[in-house]
């Protein structure tokens, strides 16, 4: 329904999505780092519609202005082109810290930058939170559990990560980002929230970011072979982006400061997943097996009892409904890119 509300330029005059009026007392100044990315831009939509003042900080490495352009010019909205590896001095009440490449090809493209963003960038955001007494929510990841030895994963599990493998820049970067949050909480009384996010999908995922959902949908839509890495017996659990946004808001505004898993426990093997997407799209794509990826976690499924208990949160959107919305989105993106090629 959000997508329908978002109308932009009409006869030269910008029409913004409707935002709620909040009194000064209830209105918060909220920073979203990585707010021009996939998850960040959906979070920004929700915070703006709730009537808050939102500042997005993004270096546009994987994010796009287009994801938030429907807010540009709105009096409650500000977009800063800034790299969080550098210090940032602004005044805010809450910080949603999402800036970091998230898909394996993106974070492996420049592992040193991924490390800098997650370490120096997180220190800067914690330093900012400390100075202005803001609460900070870190977008951590299920990757902190690595290739897990327990199933499903609960928050007390310490993880099984190869510190020198190809995924380490991201996994270890997020692990130390969590460590930093609790060090600033303990030593400097910074209020922190840590969301361990499991695989999430939906509109505004990047076309070419190489994640399984976007790859399979695009391959199926274009009648190309669907590329399963390895035997396809590895499993993942996929959450629709609006459920994640609900969870992030609930966590930020809760009194619970330990890490919380946010994900959908509906687990599928990657082979099953390829078949589901092919049947939803309805093409003739062949499913082929490519070489397995190094250190690819074999199983992943969140134990969400903590989120249920402390946030009263659980995912609402069934896989097939979320997938259909995402397929529609990619169909439009393909049309759009073909259109711009022609012109
Ligand atoms: P994304 O790549 O779409 O968004 C990340 C955003 O951060 C982009 O807009 C990018 O330009 C920005 N960014 C990266 N480095 C930056 C820097 N140094 N300075 C400023 N901005 C920078 O990814 P996403 O899927 O929206 O992920 C958002 C957050 O959620 C990430 O922290 C990611 O680790 C976490 N997460 C996502 C998933 C998922 O399945 N999508 C799963 C687990 C965790
Ligand atoms: N920092 C920032 N914005 C602020 C305050 C701090 O970006 O509003 C950065 C600052 O550059 C510092 C980091 O956050 O390197 C950590 O801050 P902290 O106060 O913990 O460290 P210190 O400045 O004492 O080294
Ligand atoms: N995968 C696949 N084919 C693809 C892309 C990914 O089989 O074209 C597999 C990948 O090896 C992993 C799973 O799908 O086992 C999820 O990959 P993704 O990169 O989306 O996220 P991850 O959970 O590995 O971070």
């Amino acid at each position: 329904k959000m997508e329908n509300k978002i109308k932009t330029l009409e006869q030269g005059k910008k029409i913004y999505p409707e935002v709620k009026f909040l009194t000064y007392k209830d209105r918060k100044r909220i920073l979203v780092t990585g707010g021009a990315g996939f998850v960040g831009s959906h979070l920004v939509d929700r915070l703006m519609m709730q009537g808050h003042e939102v500042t997005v900080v993004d270096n546009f490495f994987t994010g796009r202005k287009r994801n938030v352009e429907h807010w540009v010019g709105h009096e409650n909205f500000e977009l800063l082109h800034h790299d969080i590896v550098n210090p940032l001095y602004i005044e805010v009440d809450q910080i949603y810290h999402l800036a970091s490449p998230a898909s394996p090809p993106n974070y492996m493209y420049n592992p040193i930058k991924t490390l800098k963003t997650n370490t120096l960038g997180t220190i800067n955001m914690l330093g900012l939170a400390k100075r202005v007494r803001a609460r900070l929510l870190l977008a951590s990841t299920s990757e902190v559990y690595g290739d897990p030895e327990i199933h499903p994963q609960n928050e007390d599990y310490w993880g099984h990560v190869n510190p020198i493998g190809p995924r380490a820049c991201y996994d270890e970067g997020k692990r130390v980002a969590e460590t930093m949050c609790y060090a600033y909480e303990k030593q400097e009384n910074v209020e922190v929230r840590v969301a361990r996010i499991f695989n999430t999908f939906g509109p505004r995922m990047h076309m070419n970011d190489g994640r399984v959902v976007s790859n399979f949908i695009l391959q199926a839509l274009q009648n190309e072979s669907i590329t399963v890495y390895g035997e396809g017996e590895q499993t993942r659990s996929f959450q629709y982006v609006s459920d994640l946004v609900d969870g992030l808001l609930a966590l930020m505004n809760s009194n619970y400061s330990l890490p919380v898993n946010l994900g959908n426990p509906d687990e599928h093997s990657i082979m099953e997943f390829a078949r589901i997407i092919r049947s939803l799209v309805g093409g003739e794509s062949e499913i082929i097996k490519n070489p397995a990826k190094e250190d690819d976690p074999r199983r992943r499924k969140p134990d969400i009892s903590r989120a249920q208990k402390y946030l009263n949160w659980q995912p609402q959107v069934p896989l097939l409904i979320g997938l259909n919305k995402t397929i529609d989105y990619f169909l439009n993106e393909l049309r759009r890119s073909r259109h711009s090629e022609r012109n």
Side-chain angles (χ1 to χ4, degrees):
K1 52 187 189 300
M2 177 102 56
E3 286 98 283
N4 305 336
K5 281 193 191 167
I6 293 172
K7 286 193 220 132
T8 41
L9 293 168
E10 230 170 62
Q11 296 167 338
K13 185 169 166 279
K14 194 154 184 176
I15 312 283
Y16 295 104
E18 205 174 314
V19 310
K20 197 172 146 192
F21 176 77
L22 287 183
T23 58
Y24 181 74
K25 177 173 70 61
D26 295 322
R27 198 182 321 138
K28 293 200 168 65
R29 298 162 304 173
I30 303 178
L31 167 63
V32 182
T33 74
F38 159 53
V39 174
S41 63
H42 287 282
L43 176 64
V44 166
D45 287 343
R46 196 77 71 82
L47 293 169
M48 283 295 296
M49 286 176 177
Q50 288 181 349
H52 296 292
E53 285 173 34
V54 177
T55 300
V56 164
V57 163
D58 208 292
N59 69 351
F60 302 113
F61 169 49
T62 53
R64 291 175 302 186
K65 220 178 218 174
R66 180 146 70 83
N67 289 340
V68 290
E69 78 185 344
H70 44 280
W71 295 116
V72 172
H74 193 286
E75 60 180 351
N76 290 352
F77 182 77
E78 193 160 326
L79 176 59
L80 298 179
H81 187 169
H82 173 83
D83 192 314
I84 56 151
V85 166
N86 303 313
L88 175 70
Y89 289 86
I90 58 172
E91 311 302 316
V92 290
D93 304 308
Q94 290 186 337
I95 303 171
Y96 287 88
H97 177 32
L98 275 61
S100 164
S103 93
N106 285 334
Y107 65 67
M108 289 180 202
Y109 166 76
N110 187 341
I112 296 174
K113 183 67 190 202
T114 302
L115 280 164
K116 286 183 180 168
T117 297
N118 278 299
T119 56
L120 300 173
T122 300
I123 286 274
N124 284 334
M125 292 308 104
L126 284 164
L128 170 64
K130 169 184 143 190
R131 182 179 60 81
V132 300
R133 302 246 139 257
R135 182 179 289 181
L136 179 143
L137 180 148
L138 171 71
S140 184
T141 169
S142 55
E143 301 267 342
V144 300
Y145 302 126
D147 188 4
E149 300 133 307
I150 67 154
H151 196 81
Q153 295 79 51
N154 65 47
E155 293 87 345
D156 293 325
Y157 177 52
W158 290 356
H160 181 218
V161 173
N162 174 359
I164 58 169
R167 301 172 83 102
C169 59
Y170 182 70
D171 302 5
E172 298 288 18
K174 290 287 187 181
R175 285 169 67 95
V176 77
E178 289 195 8
T179 310
M180 290 167 174
C181 285
Y182 293 107
Y184 271 80
E185 175 184 69
K186 193 159 179 220
Q187 200 176 319
E188 303 288 356
N189 294 315
V190 173
E191 288 189 26
V192 297
R193 301 288 180 267
V194 173
R196 292 192 179 146
I197 303 169
F198 284 65
N199 296 63
T200 304
F201 71 98
R204 301 194 196 139
M205 286 187 94
H206 318 277
M207 292 263 265
N208 306 315
D209 79 355
R211 280 188 264 199
V212 70
V213 181
S214 42
N215 273 9
F216 286 4
I217 291 179
L218 284 169
Q219 289 162 343
L221 284 173
Q222 297 174 104
N223 277 317
E224 291 166 4
S225 305
I226 297 182
T227 55
V228 167
Y229 301 157
E231 291 302 308
E233 283 164 5
Q234 72 272 39
T235 69
R236 292 294 186 274
S237 311
F238 294 98
Q239 130 178 274
Y240 190 64
V241 64
S242 60
D243 284 332
L244 173 58
V245 170
D246 291 341
L248 293 172
L249 293 168
L251 177 59
M252 173 65 103
N253 297 303
S254 76
N255 292 322
Y256 195 77
S257 63
L258 289 173
V260 178
N261 287 341
L262 294 177
N264 193 323
D266 182 16
E267 181 187 12
H268 294 274
S269 77
I270 294 301
M271 185 56 83
E272 240 168 60
F273 200 62
R275 296 204 182 100
I276 293 173
I277 289 184
R278 182 174 62 182
S279 74
L280 286 181
V281 171
E284 329 263 79
S285 292
E286 187 191 354
I287 297 176
I288 59 167
K289 291 180 186 170
N290 280 7
K293 295 278 175 194
E294 192 182 340
D295 288 347
D296 199 359
R298 275 159 300 168
R299 301 186 74 184
R300 193 183 287 150
K301 170 181 171 166
D303 176 336
I304 57 165
S305 34
R306 196 176 269 186
Q308 284 169 319
K309 179 168 173 199
Y310 292 99
L311 310 181
N312 194 20
W313 173 89
Q314 59 184 27
Q316 306 293 330
V317 182
L319 180 68
L320 297 190
I321 298 206
L323 280 176
N324 277 326
K325 291 188 185 189
T326 313
I327 292 168
D328 286 346
Y329 170 78
F330 280 116
L331 205 54
N332 263 321
E333 288 294 287
L334 283 174
R335 286 201 192 108
R336 194 188 166 109
S337 66
R338 283 190 198 120
H339 182 78
S340 59
E341 266 164 34
R342 274 202 304 273
N343 293 295

